[in-house]
Every structure is written in C-alpha cells, then in structure tokens.
Amino acid sequence: MPKLIDHERRRQELAEAAWRVIMRDGVGHASVRAVAAEAGVSAGSLRHVFPTQGEMLVFAMQLVLTRVRARVAALPPRPTIRQAVEAVARELLPLDAGRRAEMEVWLALFSAANAEESLKGPRAEAHRALRDACRWMIGQLDNGVDLSPDRDVELEALRLHALLDGLAAHLVYDSPATDPDWATRVLAAHLDSLRS
C-alpha cells in the first residue's frame, strides 16, 4: 500500500525549516538549497512542494497569519467585551517563544518584501488584515461602556494598530529573557484609557 503523505503538514514543516534559516541566517540565506538542508530533504523534494523560492517564502509568511488566526479562533469566551478584546490583542503579540519566532520571521519577511516582488501582495494583505482586526476590536469596544462616546472610532483603530506593531517590534528587539509583562500592562492601560 502506498505511503500516505499529509501534504499540508509537509508544507508547514518545510515552512518551519525556512523560519529557522531566516531566524538564524536572514532572509537572504533562505534559498531552496539551504531550507532543504535544514529540513533534511533534497532540494528536488522541496521544489516538488514549493517550485520557487518565492512560493516558499510566501507560504512561510502566510503560515504566521494562519497560526495567529487559529489561536484567536480558539480563544475561550471572556466575561466582558473588554476582556475579549484584550485576549485577541494579546494573541497578536510575541509573548512567548513560539510567537516570538513567528514575529521575528514576520518582521524579516515584511522588510524583505521591499525587494522580493512575490512578498509584496501577502505583506499588503496581512497589513490590511491587522488593520481590519483593529477596527473590529475598537468596534467591539464601541458598546456604550468600553469606548468614550467622543472617541473617533477610525482613529482609535489606527492607534491600536500602531500600538500593536510597536509593542511587537519592541518585544522582538528585547532580549528573549526579558519578561514581556510590561507589554501586556501597556496594552491593558491603553484599552482602559479608551473609556475616558
């Protein structure tokens, strides 16, 4: 009987190998050959899954979004809207080793998109997705309790987006040994400030 292969799992494993190369050596070294060696497969085997380096990098970038969306979808209900919004926002921050790796890869690929044409579309799509998520979060807070009525909803969505981007970058630039609790306190204080 032929061996069954989980193609989606294989794609993820190869993308994770690309992540390791990117985190260790940078995007410029994430060639098909280097990623294949990292994954312990032949370059031909990798090309069977990702015919081009660009396709491999795009999937590696999209895998970050896929994982973030899965974490957000798996969040249990919270007692209040304010707590639910904070829980979603926290999932967008690199508060543990796994999310830190995702963010390091994300920032590297986000920057590489300036020179890598295949990454420009996924970068723009991800930027829009985060902006839309921030609009959704502020919209949830605009419930007569958690957002002061004099607040500009669109401006607050833009501010939340900028805050999350900034916190994520600072968390990645901090030493991995630094306690990320400071970032969650900043996020909580910001969300609380929207009431007044």
Side-chain angles (χ1 to χ4, degrees):
M1 183 164 182
K3 185 176 168 184
L4 295 176
I5 299 172
D6 182 343
H7 291 288
E8 186 57 27
R9 181 71 210 132
R10 189 69 178 141
R11 288 166 58 85
Q12 289 183 20
E13 289 169 356
L14 294 171
E16 288 166 357
W19 286 11
R20 292 191 298 275
V21 172
I22 290 167
M23 288 188 299
R24 185 181 60 238
D25 305 322
V27 176
H29 293 277
S31 66
V32 168
R33 186 169 303 198
V35 172
E38 179 70 27
V41 301
S42 70
S45 178
L46 189 145
R47 284 195 189 279
H48 181 72
V49 178
F50 297 114
T52 68
Q53 179 189 25
E55 289 178 58
M56 177 182 66
L57 294 177
V58 166
F59 186 81
M61 188 178 218
Q62 290 171 335
L63 184 58
V64 174
L65 295 176
T66 300
R67 292 198 173 163
V68 170
R69 287 179 176 132
R71 284 196 308 270
V72 168
L75 285 171
R78 296 299 198 271
T80 68
I81 291 172
R82 161 67 181 71
Q83 290 172 337
V85 166
E86 184 174 349
V88 170
R90 287 172 62 112
E91 289 302 326
L92 304 173
L93 296 175
L95 299 174
D96 58 37
R99 287 183 282 172
R100 182 184 179 94
E102 289 174 359
M103 187 57 64
E104 285 181 24
V105 168
W106 177 257
L107 291 173
L109 291 170
F110 197 88
S111 295
N114 292 330
E116 177 59 48
E117 192 65 35
S118 65
L119 293 173
K120 288 181 180 177
R123 177 177 69 177
E125 175 188 339
H127 182 74
R128 281 190 303 273
L130 180 54
R131 179 68 49 84
D132 289 345
C134 290
R135 285 186 179 113
W136 178 86
M137 287 185 272
I138 295 299
Q140 293 296 300
L141 295 174
D142 189 15
N143 57 21
V145 175
D146 295 306
L147 186 69
S148 176
D150 62 340
R151 298 282 182 167
D152 179 323
V153 173
E154 180 62 15
L155 180 61
E156 293 306 334
L158 295 172
R159 280 200 331 145
L160 181 58
H161 188 172
L163 177 71
L164 291 172
D165 277 350
L167 290 174
H170 283 275
L171 285 164
V172 167
Y173 301 146
D174 275 352
S175 161
T178 302
D179 185 347
D181 185 55
W182 69 267
T184 59
R185 291 195 318 271
V186 169
L187 174 62
H190 174 71
L191 295 175
D192 287 342
S193 76
L194 297 176
R195 291 179 176 176
S196 57

